[in-house]
C-alpha cells in the first residue's frame, strides 16, 4: 500500500514541489511572505480552472485545445455586450453570461465529436481558429480598458488583506474560491458519480464502454460543455483580474495548461488522472515560473526551465511504467520491438 | 433440468423462447460473416455454438448483445421484437456476455470492473465505493476465487482477467449468459467451479449460450448444439445425437485423426538444460533437459509456476539460484535480449493483449520479429520479400483473411492467435517456448498447427509446450512434466502414460491445492 502511494505521480510532484519551495525560500526569503503566496494563488487560479477542464477531457481519452479560444471569446463578448447595454450590476452577472457563452461553444465541440465521431484534436484545433477568428473579425479586436463598473471593481475584491512589516498591504483575491469550488465539484463528479466513472471508462476502453451500455455521446456532450463552462468562467476571471478585455489574450496558453495537467499525472492516452494531481502540477509550474523571477533568472530562461521540468516530470512515470511492465510480464512486445531496432 | 426434455411443439417453442433470432445475415466489407442464421434459446437451456475459427460465432454473439447490427433478420427477446437492438436494451432484457477479448477496463480496479456494469444497468447515479466492493466480493465468492479488489485490471494475469469478466457477468441477474470462449485461460479447477455455477443458475431458469473449441466441455455442458461453418448453420440438434468425431466432422467437413509425435530418442547434447532452478515465490528446484527434436510438455494448474518458469527461461523473470545450460555451456539469460541471443523464442500466454498490435495490419504483425532479415543492403525494406513471407505464413497457418493488409483486429479471435504464432515461428529460434499454442484454435486447425510444431521439432529444434489440454500434450510431446505449487510433481514419458492417468494426476493436484471445504 505504502509502495503504491510512493510510486504515484502525485506523490512525485508533491515532493518535488516541496523541495522546490524549500530551495527557493532558502535563496530568497521573500518567497515565504504572504504577499508572494497571495500572488501565486492569483496566478494559479485561472490556470487551475483551465487545467481541471483539461483533466476531464484527458481522462476521457480526448484532448481539447480550443478552451483558450472559448475563454477569450466568452470574456470579450460578455464585456462588449455589458458595455453596450450599459449594465451597472455586479460581477456575478458577468460570470453567468461568460460561462453560458462558454457552454454554447463547448457544445459546438461536442456536436462534432459525439455526432460525427471526429478525432477530438482535429475538431478542437478547428474550433480554436473558428472561435478566435469570429471574435477578432466580427466582435472586435481592440483592447477594452473602459470596463463596466462591476468588472472594473472586481480586481479589488479581496477575501482579506494583511499589512506586512514594511507597511505594504497585500490581499488574497476572492477568485481563488472559484478554483477551490471547481476542484471540489470536479472531484465529486469524477469520483462519486456514474457520469464521472463513465469518463474513466471511456478513456480506458471505448469499445468496452459501448458494450457495457454507456451512452458515449451523452458523456462527451457533458465533457465538452463542462470544459466550455470552465473556460468561460476562467476567461472572465482573467479579464477581471487584469482590468481589461483583450481579444488577443489567453490563446497560446493551452499547451502550458495541458503540460501542467500531464505533469500532475493525467495520461495523455486517457483513463488516468486526478484532481489533486492536477492541482499539484499547476502549483508546481506556477511556483516555478514566479520564482524564477524571484531568483533573478532572465525570462527567456524560464521557458527553458519549465520545458525541462515538464519533460522530466512526464518521462519519469513513463520509464517507470516500462520497467514495471517488464517485471509484470505485460507489454513484452514493445520492449522487444525496441531492442530489435 | 428442462432443457433435456424432448422437443415441444413448434408453437409452444415460440411462446416459450427467451431469445429468437430469425434469418440473421451480416457481412463485413464483402466478407459474409453470417448467412441466414436462426436460433432459438429457451430458459434453462444450455446451447453450444461451435465452428471453426472465423465461422461467425463471435459476430452472432455481438448481434445478440446489440454491439453489431445485422444487415437483415430480426431479433426477438422475451417476446419483444427489436428493430434496432442497443447494448443497453440487451442488458436490460437480461443478456450478459463474457466476451472473447474480455472487454474490461484496464485502468479501473478489479472491484469496479465487476460492479460498474451492474450499477450502470440499474441506473445508479451516485457511486458508493463500499457497495462497489461488496458487489465485487459477492461475485468472487460465487465462483470461489480470491482476487485483490483494489488492483488495476491492467496489472493482473490473463486468467485473472478472464475470471473478472466472468464475475462481471455472473453478478447481474441474467436470464441468458453468453460465454464466448470463457475458459481459454483457466485450468481444470476454475473451469469446474464455473460449470458448477452454470448448472446452478440453469436450475433457476437461466439460459446459457456457450462457445468453446474444447469439445469435451461442449459435450459436457450442452443440451443443444448448433454448428456453423462459414457463417451458415450446418446442424442444430440435441447433444445426445452427437459425439466428438461427429462434432468435428460437421465443423470441418472432414474426419480428423491425429497421429502422436514419432520421436526417436537421441543421445545428442541437450540444447537446453536446467539444473535446480529456483525463483522465490514462483518455482523451486526445477531440473530437466531438452534435446534437439524433443517436444517437452509442461502442465499444471494456475499458480503452479509453469508460466513463471517459462518467463525465467526467456529472461523476463530473474532466478535466485540454479543454472541454465545452453549447448552444455552455462548461460546467463538476464533479459529478453540475451534470451533471443541464445536462440530462445517465446510465444506468450496472453497473446491477444501482449502479442499483437491490433490496429496494425496483419502482414506487419507477421514480419515484425524478422524485419531485419528482410531489409536490402542500405536498410530499405524489401517489399517482395515481406510479401513472400506473409503469404507463406498466411497459407501455412491458414489464417482466414482476404487481405493481409487489413488491421489485425478485423480477424476472428482464433485467427489473431495464429498471427502471433506466425510471427514467432518466422523468427526460427533454436529453442521455442510455446505457452498455450492452440488456445482458442478450432479442432481442425489445431491438428494442422500440431503438424507444424512437430515438423519444427523434426528439423532439430527443441520445443517446450505449456498447456492444460491433455490430449494435445499426449499427441504432441514425447515427455511431459507436471508442476504443482512451483515444483516438479512428476515426469512422464508419453507412451507410458494415458489420458486418464494424466488427468487424474492433475486433479490430484487440484484437491491438494484447494483448501478444505
Ligand atoms: N470488424 C470486422 N471487420 C472485418 N471483418 C470482420 C470484423 N469482425 C469479424 N470479421 C470477419 O467475420 C468473420 C467471422 O468472425 P468471428 O469473429 O465471428 O469468428 P468466430 O467464429 O468467433 O471465430 P473464432 O473461433 O476464431 O473466435 C471472420 O472472417 C472475420 O475476419
Ligand atoms: Mg470468436
Amino acid at each position: 500500500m505504502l509502495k503504491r502511494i510512493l510510486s504515484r505521480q502525485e506523490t512525485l510532484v508533491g515532493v518535488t514541489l516541496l523541495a522546490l519551495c524549500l530551495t527557493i525560500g532558502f535563496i530568497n526569503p521573500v518567497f515565504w511572505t504572504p504577499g508572494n503566496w497571495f500572488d501565486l494563488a492569483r496566478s494559479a487560479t485561472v490556470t487551475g480552472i483551465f487545467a481541471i477542464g483539461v483533466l476531464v477531457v484527458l481522462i476521457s481519452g480526448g484532448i481539447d485545445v480550443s478552451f483558450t479560444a472559448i475563454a477569450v471569446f466568452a470574456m470579450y463578448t460578455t464585456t462588449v455586450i455589458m458595455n453596450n447595454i450599459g449594465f451597472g450590476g455586479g460581477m456575478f452577472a458577468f460570470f453567468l453570461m461568460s460561462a453560458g457563452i462558454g457552454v454554447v461553444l463547448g457544445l459546438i465541440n461536442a456536436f462534432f465529436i459525439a455526432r460525427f465521431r471526429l478525432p477530438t484534436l482535429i475538431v478542437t484545433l478547428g474550433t480554436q481558429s473558428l472561435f478566435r477568428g469570429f471574435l477578432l473579425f466580427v466582435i472586435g479586436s481592440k483592447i477594452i480598458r473602459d470596463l463596466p463598473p462591476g468588472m472594473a471593481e472586481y480586481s479589488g475584491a479581496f477575501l482579506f488583506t494583511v499589512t506586512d512589516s514594511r507597511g505594504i498591504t497585500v490581499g488574497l483575491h476572492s477568485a481563488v474560491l472559484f478554483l477551490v469550488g471547481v476542484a471540489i465539484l470536479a472531484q465529486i463528479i469524477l469520483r462519486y458519480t456514474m457520469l464521472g466513472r463513465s469518463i474513466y471508462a471511456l478513456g480506458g476502453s471505448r469499445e468496452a464502454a459501448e458494450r457495457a451500455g454507456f451512452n458515449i455521446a451523452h458523456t462527451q456532450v457533458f465533457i465538452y460543455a463542462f470544459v466550455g463552462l470552465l473556460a468561460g468562467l476562467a476567461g472572465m476571471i482573467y479579464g477581471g483580474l487584469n482590468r481589461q478585455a483583450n481579444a488577443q489574450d489567453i490563446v497560446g496558453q493551452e499547451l502550458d495548461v495541458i503540460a501542467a495537467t500531464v505533469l500532475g499525472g493525467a495520461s495523455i492516452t486517457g483513463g488516468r488522472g486526478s484532481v489533486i494531481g492536477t492541482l499539484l502540477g499547476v502549483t508546481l509550474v506556477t511556483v516555478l515560473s514566479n520564482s524564477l523571477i524571484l531568483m533573478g533568472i532572465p525570462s527567456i530562461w524560464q521557458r527553458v526551465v519549465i520545458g525541462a521540468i515538464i519533460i522530466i516530470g512526464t518521462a519519469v512515470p513513463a520509464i517507470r511504467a516500462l520497467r514495471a511492465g517488464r517485471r509484470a510480464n505485460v507489454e513484452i512486445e514493445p520492449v522487444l520491438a525496441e531492442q530489435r531496432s | 433440468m428442462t432443457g433435456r426434455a424432448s422437443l415441444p411443439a413448434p408453437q409452444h417453442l415460440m411462446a416459450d423462447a427467451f431469445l429468437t433470432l430469425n434469418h440473421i445475415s451480416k457481412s463485413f466489407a464483402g466478407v459474409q460473416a453470417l448467412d441466414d442464421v436462426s436460433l432459438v434459446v429457451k430458459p434453462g437451456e444450455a446451447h453450444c455454438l461451435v465452428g471453426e475459427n472465423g465461422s461467425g460465432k463471435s459476430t452472432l454473439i455481438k448481434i445478440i448483445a446489440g454491439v453489431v447490427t445485422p444487415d437483415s433478420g430480426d431479433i426477438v427477446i422475451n417476446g419483444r421484437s427489436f428493430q434496432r437492438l442497443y447494448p443497453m436494451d440487451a442488458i436490460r432484457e437480461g443478456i450478459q456476455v463474457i466476451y472473447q477479448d474480455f472487454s474490461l477496463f484496464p485502468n479501473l480496479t478489479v472491484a469496479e470492473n465487476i460492479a460498474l456494469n451492474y450499477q450502470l444497468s440499474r441506473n445508479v447515479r451516485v457511486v458508493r465505493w463500499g457497495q462497489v466492493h461488496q458487489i465485487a466480493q459477492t461475485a468472487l465468492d460465487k465462483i470461489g476465487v480470491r482476487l485483490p479488489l483494489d488492483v488495476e485490471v491492467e496489472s493482473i494475469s490473463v486468467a485473472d482477467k478472464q475470471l473478472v469478466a466472468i464475475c462481471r457477468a455472473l453478478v447481474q441477474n441474467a436470464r441468458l449468459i453468453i460465454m464466448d470462449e470463457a475458459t481459454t485461460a483457466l485450468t481444470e479447477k476454475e473451469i469446474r467451479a464455473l460449470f458448477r455455477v452454470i448448472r446452478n443458475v440453469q436450475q433457476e431458469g437461466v439460459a446459457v449460450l456457450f462457445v468453446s473449441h474444447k469439445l469435451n466441455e461442449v459435450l459436457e455442458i450442452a443440451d443443444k448444439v448448433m454448428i456453423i461453418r462459414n457463417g451458415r448453420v450446418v446442424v442444430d440438434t440435441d447433444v445426445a445425437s452427437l459425439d466428438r468425431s461427429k462434432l468435428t466432422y460437421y465443423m470441418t467437413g472432414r474426419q480428423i485423426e491425429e497421429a502422436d509425435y514419432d520421436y526417436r530418442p537421441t543421445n545428442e547434447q541437450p540444447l537446453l538444460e536446467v539444473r535446480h532452478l529456483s525463483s522465490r515465490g514462483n518455482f523451486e528446484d526445477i531440473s530437466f533437459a531438452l534435446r534437439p527434436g524433443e517436444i517437452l510438455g509442461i502442465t499444471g494448474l494456475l499458480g503452479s509456476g509453469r508460466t513463471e518458469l517459462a518467463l525465467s527461461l526467456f529472461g523476463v523473470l530473474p532466478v535466485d539460484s540454479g543454472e541454465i545450460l545452453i549447448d552444455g555451456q552455462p548461460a546467463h539469460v538476464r533479459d529478453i535480449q540475451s534470451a533471443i541471443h541464445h536462440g530462445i523464442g517465446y510465444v506468450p500466454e496472453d497473446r491477444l493483449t501482449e502479442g499483437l498490435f491490433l490496429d496494425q495490419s496483419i502482414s506487419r504483425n507477421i514480419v515484425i520479429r524478422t524485419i531485419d532479415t528482410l531489409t536490402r543492403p542500405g536498410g530499405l525494406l524489401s517489399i517482395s520479400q515481406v510479401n513472400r513471407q506473409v503469404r507463406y505464413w498466411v497459407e501455412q497457418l491458414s489464417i482466414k483473411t482476404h487481405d493481409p493488409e487489413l488491421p489485425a483486429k478485423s480477424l476472428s479471435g482464433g485467427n489473431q492467435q495464429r498471427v502471433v504464432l506466425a510471427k514467432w515461428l518466422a523468427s526460427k529460434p533454436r529453442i521455442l517456448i510455446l505457452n498455450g499454442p492452440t488456445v482458442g484454435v478450432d479442432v481442425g486447425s489445431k491438428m494442422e498447427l500440431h503438424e507444424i510444431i512437430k515438423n519444427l521439432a523434426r528439423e532439430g529444434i527443441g520445443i517446450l509446450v505449456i498447456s492444460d489440454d491433455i490430449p494435445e500434450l499426449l499427441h504432441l510431446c514425447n515427455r511431459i512434466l507436471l508442476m504443482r505449487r512451483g515444483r516438479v510433481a512428476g515426469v512422464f514419458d508419453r507412451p507410458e502414460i494415458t489420458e486418464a492417468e494424466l488427468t487424474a494426476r492433475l486433479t490430484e493436484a487440484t484437491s491438494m491445492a484447494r483448501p478444505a471445504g
Side-chain angles (χ1 to χ4, degrees):
Chain A
M1 193 66 204
L2 185 70
K3 210 171 158 192
R4 218 183 305 156
I5 291 172
L6 284 179
S7 68
R8 292 187 59 160
Q9 174 79 357
E10 284 87 342
T11 319
L12 184 73
V13 176
V15 170
T16 313
L17 179 59
L18 198 68
L20 187 70
C21 289
L22 292 174
T23 316
I24 300 167
F26 184 74
I27 297 173
N28 189 345
V30 172
F31 182 78
W32 290 113
T33 59
N36 184 49
W37 280 92
F38 293 166
D39 235 29
L40 285 174
R42 190 182 163 117
S43 328
T45 299
V46 172
T47 317
I49 297 174
F50 280 147
I52 299 284
V54 167
L55 169 72
V56 173
V57 183
L58 287 184
I59 292 173
S60 78
I63 193 160
D64 186 340
V65 293
S66 73
F67 64 90
T68 47
I70 295 180
V72 72
F73 187 107
M75 179 267 286
Y76 194 85
T77 309
T78 304
T79 314
V80 168
I81 292 174
M82 291 304 204
N83 258 342
N84 282 352
I85 62 170
F87 183 75
M91 193 61 179
F92 183 72
F94 290 80
F95 287 133
L96 217 59
M97 181 182 285
S98 186
I101 294 172
V103 169
V104 172
L105 299 186
L107 285 173
I108 295 176
N109 280 335
F111 175 73
F112 288 111
I113 290 165
R115 181 83 176 74
F116 301 111
R117 293 197 169 202
L118 295 173
T120 55
L121 178 64
I122 307 286
V123 169
T124 55
L125 269 174
T127 52
Q128 185 199 62
S129 303
L130 188 77
F131 297 155
R132 189 153 188 261
F134 190 85
L135 174 67
L136 295 177
F137 288 108
V138 180
I139 311 222
S141 56
K142 281 202 290 287
I143 299 180
I144 305 172
R145 294 215 172 75
D146 191 9
L147 299 175
M151 191 174 165
E153 285 155 18
Y154 184 65
S155 67
F158 295 109
L159 273 182
F160 57 86
T161 54
V162 292
T163 307
D164 71 12
S165 51
R166 287 168 299 170
I168 303 167
T169 304
V170 289
L172 178 63
H173 199 273
S174 60
V176 75
L177 290 182
F178 278 111
L179 176 59
V180 174
V182 163
I184 293 173
L185 179 71
Q187 172 71 11
I188 291 172
I189 293 175
L190 286 176
R191 178 102 186 121
Y192 297 103
T193 68
M194 194 45 97
L195 178 65
R197 301 321 288 170
S198 79
I199 298 172
Y200 280 94
L202 174 60
S205 165
R206 186 191 173 107
E207 194 173 54
E210 272 168 4
R211 290 177 183 178
F214 281 109
N215 189 330
I216 288 173
H218 283 184
T219 305
Q220 286 183 324
V221 166
F222 168 79
I223 293 167
Y224 293 94
F226 186 65
V227 174
L229 178 126
L230 296 188
L233 186 67
M236 201 65 233
I237 294 172
Y238 185 91
L241 290 180
N242 287 311
R243 275 195 276 176
Q244 64 175 24
N246 181 355
Q248 309 279 359
D249 228 345
I250 309 181
V251 173
Q253 294 177 17
E254 57 276 349
L255 291 183
D256 289 349
V257 177
I258 293 170
T261 315
V262 172
L263 187 63
S267 160
I268 204 94
T269 52
R272 267 169 241 278
S274 68
V275 171
I276 184 78
T278 303
L279 293 179
L280 286 170
V282 168
T283 313
L284 182 61
V285 171
T286 310
V287 167
L288 202 64
S289 47
N290 280 33
S291 309
L292 292 175
I293 307 172
L294 232 52
M295 292 198 293
I297 295 172
S299 61
I300 9 170
W301 281 104
Q302 288 182 29
R303 308 280 320 161
V304 177
V305 173
I306 290 174
I309 289 277
I310 286 168
I311 291 175
I312 295 166
T314 46
V316 166
I319 292 166
R320 223 161 32 185
L322 208 68
R323 288 227 184 102
R326 257 203 56 189
R327 262 201 313 275
N329 180 29
V330 287
E331 299 195 19
I332 295 179
E333 275 315 310
V335 178
L336 277 176
E338 213 168 88
Q339 282 173 347
R340 305 225 97 207
S341 54
Chain B
M1 274 206 239
T2 51
R4 297 234 185 246
S6 59
L7 276 176
Q11 313 92 300
H12 182 161
L13 188 143
M14 289 305 290
D16 214 0
F18 170 72
L19 169 76
T20 312
L21 298 181
N22 291 317
H23 309 292
I24 299 282
S25 294
K26 175 75 191 176
S27 64
F28 292 104
V31 181
Q32 192 75 31
L34 290 172
D35 186 4
D36 194 25
V37 172
S38 298
L39 169 72
V40 176
V41 180
K42 286 183 284 174
E45 189 178 72
H47 220 116
C48 280
L49 199 57
V50 296
E52 294 183 305
N53 294 133
S55 56
K57 304 179 296 293
S58 296
T59 306
L60 187 66
I61 285 169
K62 286 177 194 156
I63 286 173
I64 299 172
V67 171
V68 166
T69 330
D71 299 335
S72 62
D74 53 62
I75 307 168
V76 183
I77 309 170
N78 269 326
R80 246 181 94 186
S81 176
F82 286 87
Q83 280 309 316
R84 168 86 166 82
L85 183 75
Y86 288 94
M88 200 33 121
D89 300 327
I91 292 167
R92 292 244 160 89
E93 293 293 341
I95 295 174
Q96 275 301 312
V97 183
I98 301 163
Y99 288 96
Q100 191 169 8
D101 56 9
F102 309 152
S103 209
L104 297 171
F105 300 105
N107 58 327
L108 303 182
T109 62
V110 167
E112 197 173 8
N113 264 286
I114 296 174
L116 189 65
N117 295 8
Y118 174 87
Q119 297 194 314
L120 178 69
S121 64
R122 271 162 191 68
N123 252 330
V124 169
R125 294 266 155 79
V126 176
V127 180
R128 286 193 199 84
W129 288 92
Q131 217 167 34
V132 169
H133 277 91
Q134 201 186 325
I135 293 168
Q137 194 58 57
T138 316
L140 287 169
D141 290 345
K142 222 174 193 170
I143 56 169
V145 294
R146 242 183 266 164
L147 286 179
L149 289 179
D150 286 318
V151 169
E152 280 177 13
V153 156
E154 191 171 62
S155 63
I156 64 179
S157 71
V158 213
D160 288 350
K161 282 180 192 157
Q162 192 157 43
L163 289 170
V164 170
I166 291 170
C167 287
R168 178 169 74 178
L170 291 181
V171 81
Q172 304 260 30
N173 296 317
R175 307 221 20 229
L176 168 63
I177 296 180
I178 304 179
M179 294 190 260
D180 196 353
E181 301 189 38
T183 60
T184 46
L186 306 182
T187 54
E188 263 322 279
K189 185 184 159 199
E190 296 80 28
I191 294 173
R192 287 292 127 227
L194 177 63
F195 282 9
R196 258 200 313 279
V197 176
I198 291 177
R199 285 212 191 79
N200 284 342
V201 294
Q202 255 185 294
Q203 305 266 307
E204 296 160 12
V206 176
V208 176
L209 185 61
F210 187 83
V211 174
S212 177
H213 290 294
K214 304 185 196 170
L215 297 185
N216 43 349
E217 283 181 4
V218 171
L219 292 169
E220 177 181 345
I221 205 119
D223 299 316
K224 300 183 93 188
V225 177
M226 182 161 113
I227 304 172
I228 50 180
R229 200 194 305 161
N230 291 325
R232 293 179 141 271
V233 178
V234 256
V235 174
D236 188 3
T237 180
D238 277 8
V239 72
S241 64
L242 290 170
D243 58 30
R244 211 187 153 85
S245 70
K246 270 191 194 154
L247 258 178
T248 317
Y249 178 72
Y250 287 133
M251 265 171 74
T252 59
R254 60 205 153 107
Q255 284 300 346
I256 288 179
E257 209 49 69
E258 188 175 353
D260 292 346
Y261 178 43
D262 50 346
Y263 173 69
R264 259 174 262 108
T266 63
N267 276 323
E268 282 178 67
Q269 187 181 51
L271 279 170
L272 171 74
E273 200 177 342
V274 168
R275 288 185 189 155
H276 309 294
L277 207 63
S278 297
S279 166
R280 211 171 305 116
N282 294 313
F283 53 83
E284 231 176 298
D285 196 20
I286 307 283
S287 302
F288 65 85
L290 181 72
R291 287 173 213 282
E294 267 201 305
I295 306 179
L296 172 64
I298 300 180
T299 189
L301 298 172
L302 282 186
S304 62
R306 47 180 211 179
T307 294
E308 288 78 2
L309 175 63
L311 288 176
S312 287
L313 294 176
F314 196 52
V316 179
L317 202 72
V319 293
D320 299 322
S321 60
E323 264 191 307
I324 299 174
L325 287 85
I326 290 170
D327 297 326
Q329 301 294 318
H332 280 286
V333 188
R334 277 166 279 104
D335 50 27
I336 296 176
Q337 197 163 29
S338 63
I340 291 174
H341 177 77
H342 282 113
I344 302 175
Y346 176 62
V347 178
E349 192 181 17
D350 187 3
R351 290 191 291 275
L352 291 187
T353 58
E354 246 169 48
L356 272 184
F357 296 102
L358 284 171
D359 291 318
Q360 295 283 340
S361 70
I362 296 161
S363 61
R364 283 187 181 192
N365 270 292
I366 291 177
V367 299
I368 183 174
R369 298 278 295 109
T370 48
I371 207 83
D372 41 8
T373 66
L374 298 173
T375 46
R376 284 188 304 229
L380 289 174
L381 207 57
S382 160
I383 300 295
S384 62
Q385 279 209 47
V386 168
N387 287 342
R388 199 170 324 129
Q389 186 170 16
V390 169
R391 233 177 303 128
Y392 175 79
W393 287 108
V394 166
E395 202 171 294
Q396 274 284 305
L397 301 186
S398 27
I399 295 168
K400 195 178 167 187
T401 176
H402 65 289
D403 183 4
E405 295 312 315
L406 288 174
K409 68 179 170 197
S410 73
L411 289 174
S412 80
N415 283 298
Q416 288 177 3
Q417 311 259 26
R418 293 169 204 219
V419 173
V420 188
L421 217 53
K423 169 171 74 176
W424 287 89
L425 294 181
S427 72
K428 299 219 181 315
R430 295 179 55 228
I431 301 164
L432 183 59
I433 308 171
L434 301 168
N435 201 345
T438 59
V439 168
V441 172
D442 67 62
V443 272
S445 323
K446 202 169 188 170
M447 192 189 74
E448 287 161 16
L449 280 181
H450 286 170
E451 239 8 87
I452 291 167
I453 295 170
K454 287 175 197 165
N455 277 334
L456 286 173
R458 286 182 191 118
E459 287 168 19
I461 291 178
I463 299 177
L464 285 177
V465 176
I466 301 172
S467 174
D468 313 305
D469 186 337
I470 306 270
E472 163 166 286
L473 289 169
L474 290 170
H475 281 313
L476 207 51
C477 306
N478 57 289
R479 202 146 44 94
I480 297 161
L481 200 116
L482 174 67
M483 284 182 72
R484 183 185 302 156
R485 292 189 188 174
R487 288 177 171 274
V488 176
V491 183
F492 312 100
D493 278 315
R494 196 239 305 128
E496 287 151 29
I497 187 152
T498 64
E499 187 169 338
E501 276 166 355
L502 194 54
T503 314
R505 291 301 298 265
L506 205 73
T507 355
E508 185 184 320
T510 315
S511 51
M512 285 190 55
R514 198 190 301 148

